[in-house]
Amino acid sequence: MALVGLLIPCFVISFDVTHSCQNDDNFVGASSPGDIVIGGLFAVHGKMLHPEEHPMRPVIQNCAGFEIQVFLQTLAMIHAIEMINNSTLLSGIKLGYEIYDSCAEVTKAMGAALRFLAKFNASKDTVEYKCNYSDYIPRIKAVIGSSYSEIAMAVSRLLNLQLIPLVSHASSAEILSDKIRFPSFLRTVPSDFYQTRAMARLIHRSGWNWIGLIATDDDYGRSALESFGIQAMANNVCIAFKEMLPAYLSDGTINAKINQALEKIVQETRVNVIVVFLRQFHVTKLFRKVIERNIHKIWIASDNWSAAVKITTIPNIKHLGTVVGFAYKSENMSTFHDFLKTLHLQPTENNMFLKEYSVLLSTCSHVEDQDLNKCISNYSQENLIYKAGMCSQSWRDDFLRANIEPGFIQSTMLAVHAIAYAVREQCKDRDCKNPVAFAPWELLEELKKVTFNDNEKEVHFDAKGDLNMGYDVLLWKEISGHMVITEIAEYDLQKDDFVFKDEEKEMEFLNLKTVKSTCSRKCRPGQMKKVSASPHTCCYECVNCPEDHYTNQTDMDYCFLCNNKTHWSPVNSTTCYKKTVEYLSWNDWFAILLIILSGLGVVLTFAISTIFTRNLATPVVKASGGLTVCHVILLCHFFIFASTGFFIGEPREFKCKTRQAFFGISFTLCISCILMKSLKILLAFSFDPKLQNFLKCLYKPVPIVVICTGIQVVICTFWVIFRSPFLEQNFFIRRVIILECNEGSIVAFGVMLGYIAALAFICFIFAFKGRKLPENYNEAKFITFGMLIYFIAWITFIPVYTTTFGKYRPAVEITVILISNYGILCCTFLPKCYIILYKQETNTKSAFLKIIYNYSSKSAGCLTVSQISLESNCTTPQYPITNSCCKAEKISVNGNCHFELSKHSLIRENVPPKNTAGTISRKRLSSI
């Protein structure tokens, strides 16, 4: 009889559970009376059964899949309310509760919401339609729930009608922070905005940028997907694929959708990280198939299932890879553990969930703890009557403690305490034993402002109604053959960073980097990413940075430009190198060569000067214009050689302003003196009276030299005053900064050189006219050669100079200066030096007289022949012509040798005196 007495209650319980919604009272999952009643909405069952009969009837169906974790959340709500009722927080006021099961379905949750809206103390659960609900008193003052965001959105919209506060302990969708659409919604967990930001931060820090995403096809999943997409983009993370699973297990396509998602995972071999926004029962079905197909990845868990102990008991769960997730922060659970130990003492008359749990324990009494979750979730309310045999005498509190998800328990209890503290504020000046003392909308206003302490931490809702406490970062590890959920870090919302308790935890976190999940390999420093044909920015090619660009980090989107003025870099560079300052320095090999040549020129100049000084009295020196003219010309040559030193060494302002003027004036003076000599030669050996008279008028040696040189002085003065050359840094050469002189005005530079060229050209013309002087005394011929060398050198200079860049540009001008200077110096003086040193027999007065005599005789004979030829053309008879011998008479004037040609006659035989030929006037020849 005793055994029968034990069995009968179990069958009664089974019958009651089976017919859980036969009347309105059975619709309530758990309840307790009180002065102020708080509603609860939890998905204690994972799905609602849908009948296959037709037509369908508007009947609330039974549910299946008892969720231990959510059941524990209802117990946490009950425990928190009992703690408050047993404390002095609400002295004299008792809190009651009505907890409903949503079965993870919006439809059933809306039925519960209608009960919440029903008028207080009405004979029937009726909801009145009114334009103003300010004085309307519903049966409850606030609601805690729901477990899912999609349900919270629907229920909150309905509760908005009366502004009944809905304080959620688990709904984290970002859209719920919108106070325009959800003015009465608050929550004790952070928004998904922070969760997705933390996920993206984790992925970025681990070096992953090519990931997959699986979410439920409901408001929560789509909201999470959108939020994560924004955060991923901000952290340079790309989503390779997105797979959506049906929100409800009752959907017939769920298996096909899971298989489709797995096919995508297998195809995307470069994706090794999957972010999962699913409900726990979705994850269970997904992971079972993942294990079957031996897929090994890193799974990033959302707060919905990251701490689900039930999932860790799936057989071979260790084979699916690594699970790292985010869970709501939790505190000490010791009081709740104590409550669970006394669970068997709790009355079950008004707690259908507790009754069902006891029946399920009895049904699965033969199952070990690790398989108990699966056994319990496989039974539905509908078939418990056939399975329940006898009640278990053990409540298995160890099993319950093992299935606690601390974050959800903590947030549930915080929701209760927040409402209790708001009630206390409302009841300071009111008699709250009277249920009509305040309306729910008044409690909502108080809730928004409430502040209280929880374990020495201040708790309050922000402007969006969120309670941002941060996250615990969890890592699933296999310990002693069992999968254990461990905490490795905390995520600080304000700092947007991870906080580690010790180095061991940090190392576990850093070890995640060993897994690679990237679309493309990392670009090394010195390279940049070049986006390929893929629409994703994470898929790219690595190309080397071009010249004068660099990157010093990996995976740079672009190369940094070096400061082209001061720095440079080669291809594929990781840094910029400082440009070296260059100029034609004294120790440069080419500069040394030019210095040697200039020095040799100076030595040659002094040697010539010495030779001419020691042979002052010789005819060659006298014929060269005397020692004064020679020394002036040699001094100019010395200055020209010396001016090359201004083009070598570090440029200075003084050098830049003086070097061209110094060279130009010196060269002009030299050419002016040579021009004067050319004019003198032409004058001395010209036998044309008209030309000789013109040259006599023109030949003014000192004024010619002064005027010609003065014009150049004026040109250079104007140049230095108005467009003065200046020191400049040339940055246009890649690796060096060329320190050089900018000429200030190319026009002025050209005018200076052009003026010298004009003088040289005139000099060339005069010298060319006198090229047929005596063989051993042909200075005009050598002047002609010197001018030709000058022209060739400077004509070549123009294109070479304009196309030369760098430190050797001044060397081009030095080379041309040396060539032209050497050419003129050698052509002007070396032949004379040769005569002085090696042809001394020709460097005598008698030798000079003989040369002049022969040249004069030849020139006079030519003139006579020309004159008689002209007369013969006018007279018919022809007569023989005879030349008389020329007699020379020496005349010495002022120390120079002058010669007079004696008169000679042209005599014709048998010709009367009247036909006597005219005489040639005497010419005075001056040697030069």
Side-chain angles (χ1 to χ4, degrees), residues 232-247:
M233 186 181 299
N235 286 274
N236 295 322
V237 175
C238 298
I239 301 173
F241 60 85
K242 305 170 187 176
E243 293 296 325
M244 310 296 288
L245 302 185

Side-chain angles (χ1 to χ4, degrees), residues 389-402:
M390 52 188 298
C391 293
S392 173
Q393 298 303 308
S394 172
W395 287 82
R396 295 198 183 186
D397 51 299
D398 290 338
F399 167 72
L400 290 175
R401 284 199 299 274

Side-chain angles (χ1 to χ4, degrees), residues 495-531:
K495 296 179 180 178
D496 186 23
D497 204 359
F498 299 97
V499 181
F500 303 96
K501 293 182 179 179
D502 52 55
E503 290 185 2
E504 182 183 354
K505 300 293 185 184
E506 186 173 5
M507 286 305 301
E508 288 181 339
F509 184 88
L510 295 176
N511 285 339
L512 296 172
K513 291 185 176 181
T514 57
V515 177
K516 303 298 180 185
S517 186
T518 57
C519 182
S520 304
R521 69 172 179 85
K522 277 192 174 182
C523 292
R524 301 186 305 273
Q527 295 181 324
M528 67 174 178
K529 296 188 290 187
K530 179 183 178 183
V531 179

Side-chain angles (χ1 to χ4, degrees), residues 49-76:
L49 300 175
H50 294 277
E52 296 180 358
E53 69 224 17
H54 296 282
M56 292 181 64
R57 297 175 181 272
V59 177
I60 295 179
Q61 301 296 326
N62 290 322
C63 301
F66 191 84
E67 299 287 343
I68 293 296
Q69 288 78 11
V70 184
F71 167 63
L72 286 168
Q73 294 167 25
T74 65
L75 295 180

Side-chain angles (χ1 to χ4, degrees), residues 55 58 129 136 193 227 235 318 361 445 448 479 611 657 673 704 718 739 774 804 815 870 909 921:
Y129 177 77
Y136 185 86
F193 168 81
S227 179
N235 286 274
K318 61 183 179 181
L361 284 181
E445 291 303 313
K448 294 177 181 178
I479 301 176
I611 292 171
K657 290 181 178 180
C673 291
I704 287 175
F718 273 89
L739 202 60
T804 302
T815 304
L870 290 171
E909 293 180 356
S921 63

